[in-house]
């Protein structure tokens, strides 16, 4: 299995943004030192849900400070980006990082309408223009003159510079919220990001993707390769005792959920359907405990076909020292249990 740290640093107080951004960079450097495969970056605006706000800009800092760890977006809110601008930015990042970029795409927040309003983008367009935006991204990365005519973009330019370091282009992986979008990605043979949810739902998503791909006469070998590129998200916290880890994790999730809910109630337009959190979220989204307990829980994911685990290891503005301790415990006492024996 491969393991990545999904750095999603909540900042409940604007005065702490700079401190949390610095701590997040330290966290990423520590992950590289300890052998994590990937660091995943998110995007949210105006509410402190993600202190560094913009994964594309932040990825440049990460790429400049690291040498090995891959850098993924989970995700770029595509509705807020012009595809050609994003294609150029990613191409530059791919060159700076020497081919370590993974482009995770998604329509954007399903609940934060104020993010769309802030950029003057209709929330209703966020789903329908995603596929066209991805097509324009890929066409821009071909290196040839582009004459693209679509529903949302009509562009012509003589070719992107610089060309991507990765050939033919950096991998694209889409976050899929619905079962239909999961099937759609299987049909075009593109791997997906599966958000944090209970294990049964994760197993159903993987099975749905596999069966849809196989129904199109895709070879078993090709389907297996696609499944090996799917990333599954969970919140993870490792402690020296079950009680300590559970307390830190549950308090962090409670703070995070409260912050998200307050932001939506405060910033969304009247009449917006704000989602409400559930007490079941902890059991369904968290992997928590001692290294041995966490290893057992990850073994359950491996058994249902999970190859790559994207772990949010700082949930709800946890104490930085405790987060770093959890990251270290995981690297030293959990990852070795899932390394291939050669």
């Amino acid at each position: 299995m491969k393991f990545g740290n999904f750095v999603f640093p909540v900042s409940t107080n604007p005065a702490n943004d700079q401190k949390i951004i610095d701590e997040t960079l330290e966290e990423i450097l520590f992950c590289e030192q300890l052998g994590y495969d990937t660091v995943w970056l998110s995007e949210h605006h105006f509410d402190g849900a993600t202190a560094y706000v913009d994964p594309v800009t932040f990825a440049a800092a990460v790429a400049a400070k690291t040498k090995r760890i891959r850098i993924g977006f989970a995700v770029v809110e595509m509705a807020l980006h012009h595809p050609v601008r994003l294609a150029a930015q990613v191409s530059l990042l791919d060159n700076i990082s020497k081919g370590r970029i993974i482009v995770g795409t998604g329509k954007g927040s399903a609940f934060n309408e104020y993010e769309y309003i802030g950029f003057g983008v209709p929330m209703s367009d966020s789903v329908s223009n995603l596929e066209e935006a991805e097509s324009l991204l890929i066409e821009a990365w071909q290196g040839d003159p582009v004459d693209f005519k679509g529903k949302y973009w009509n562009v012509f330019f003589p070719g992107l510079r610089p060309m991507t370091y990765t050939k033919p282009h950096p991998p694209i992986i889409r976050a899929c919220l619905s079962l239909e979008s999961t099937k759609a990605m299987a049909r075009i043979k593109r791997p997906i990001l599966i958000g944090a949810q209970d294990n049964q739902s994760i197993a159903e998503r993987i099975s749905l993707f596999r069966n849809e791909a196989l129904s199109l006469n895709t070879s078993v070998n090709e389907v297996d390769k696609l499944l090996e590129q799917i990333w599954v998200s969970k919140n993870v916290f490792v402690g020296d005792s079950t009680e300590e880890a559970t307390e830190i994790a549950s308090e962090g999730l409670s703070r995070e959920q409260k912050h998200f809910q307050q932001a939506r109630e405060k910033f969304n337009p009247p009449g917006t359907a704000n989602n409400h959190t559930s007490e079941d979220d902890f059991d369904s989204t968290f992997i928590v405990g001692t290294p041995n307990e966490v290893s057992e829980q990850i073994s359950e994911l491996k058994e249902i076909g999970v190859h790559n685990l994207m772990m949010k290891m700082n949930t709800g503005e946890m104490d930085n020292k405790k987060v770093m301790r959890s990251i270290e415990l995981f690297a030293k006492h959990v990852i070795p249990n899932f390394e291939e024996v050669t």
Side-chain angles (χ1 to χ4, degrees):
M1 290 184 74
K2 293 179 181 177
F3 299 97
N5 184 0
F6 181 26
V7 287
F8 195 103
V10 173
S11 179
T12 57
N13 185 342
N16 293 333
D17 288 354
Q18 176 66 67
K19 172 177 174 290
I20 291 174
I21 291 169
D22 288 344
E23 289 177 347
T24 303
L25 277 171
E26 292 173 9
E27 185 179 324
I28 292 168
L29 293 175
F30 196 43
C31 286
E32 169 155 279
Q33 176 187 331
L34 292 171
Y36 284 75
D37 180 82
T38 310
V39 58
W40 292 92
L41 311 179
S42 188
E43 177 171 15
H44 284 292
H45 297 272
F46 314 127
D47 58 6
T50 307
Y52 54 75
V53 178
D54 181 355
V56 180
T57 303
F58 194 59
V62 175
K65 287 179 174 290
T66 57
K67 299 295 184 183
R68 179 199 57 79
I69 199 167
R70 295 193 294 169
I71 306 164
F73 301 142
V75 296
V76 174
E77 296 189 288
M78 291 296 291
L80 309 183
H81 295 262
H82 191 291
V84 178
R85 168 67 69 180
L86 181 62
Q89 291 171 316
V90 169
S91 187
L92 175 59
L93 286 171
D94 197 43
N95 278 273
I96 293 171
S97 68
K98 302 296 187 292
R100 292 184 282 136
I101 301 298
I102 303 172
V103 184
T105 64
K107 72 179 188 64
S109 173
F111 306 105
N112 301 355
E113 188 169 352
Y114 52 86
E115 293 192 59
Y116 300 92
I117 293 171
F119 284 88
V121 175
M123 190 174 185
S124 58
D125 288 350
S126 62
V127 176
S128 56
N129 67 17
L130 176 56
E131 186 173 342
E132 184 175 310
E134 289 176 346
S135 297
L136 182 47
L137 269 180
I138 293 171
E139 187 165 337
W141 286 329
Q142 301 308 306
D144 301 317
V146 172
D147 187 1
F148 186 96
K149 292 180 173 60
K151 178 180 179 182
Y152 297 95
W153 293 281
N154 290 294
V155 297
F156 172 80
F157 54 95
L160 202 66
R161 299 276 300 271
M163 295 281 289
T164 60
Y165 183 92
T166 304
K167 306 302 179 191
H169 57 75
I172 298 180
I173 182 169
R174 187 193 291 184
C176 292
L177 296 178
S178 70
L179 297 179
E180 186 52 47
S181 62
T182 299
K183 292 169 65 176
M185 290 300 96
R187 288 194 290 270
I188 64 172
K189 301 178 184 180
R190 185 181 298 164
I192 61 174
L193 299 172
I194 299 176
Q197 53 196 280
D198 63 89
N199 288 4
Q200 181 179 343
S201 297
I202 292 169
E204 290 172 352
R205 288 296 183 95
I206 293 173
S207 178
L208 179 67
F209 186 96
R210 178 192 293 111
N211 292 338
E212 185 69 17
L214 289 172
S215 73
L216 302 172
N217 296 320
T218 310
S219 70
V220 173
N221 183 57
E222 189 174 2
V223 172
D224 286 342
K225 288 182 178 179
L226 284 170
L227 294 174
E228 289 171 2
Q229 298 174 65
I230 290 175
W231 282 81
V232 172
S233 178
K234 285 277 191 176
N235 302 317
V236 177
F237 194 85
V238 189
D240 294 297
S241 71
T242 308
E243 295 74 20
E244 174 204 32
T246 303
E247 180 180 5
I248 293 170
S250 61
E251 289 178 353
L253 182 61
S254 178
R255 281 194 304 272
E256 181 176 89
Q257 291 180 331
K258 180 180 179 181
H259 180 70
F260 292 169
Q261 194 63 43
Q262 288 178 338
R264 288 162 186 163
E265 292 173 355
K266 182 177 181 180
F267 301 130
N268 271 337
T272 302
N274 300 318
N275 74 316
H276 290 275
T277 54
S278 166
E279 293 181 0
D280 295 334
D281 288 350
F282 186 81
D283 291 335
S284 63
T285 67
F286 247 106
I287 294 174
V288 63
T290 64
N292 285 338
E293 291 168 335
V294 167
S295 293
E296 291 174 1
Q297 294 170 69
I298 292 176
S299 293
E300 295 175 9
L301 289 173
K302 185 177 181 180
E303 288 176 6
I304 64 175
V306 175
H307 294 274
N308 308 292
L309 186 59
M310 179 193 302
M311 307 176 294
K312 182 147 69 72
M313 305 191 79
N314 179 3
T315 300
E317 204 170 346
M318 293 173 173
D319 178 82
N320 179 249
K321 291 182 180 179
K322 294 176 181 178
V323 172
M324 299 290 259
R325 173 65 174 163
S326 174
I327 289 171
E328 183 175 23
L329 286 171
F330 190 94
K332 292 184 175 180
H333 302 293
V334 178
I335 290 179
N337 297 328
F338 298 91
E339 292 178 333
E340 293 184 4
V341 177
T342 57

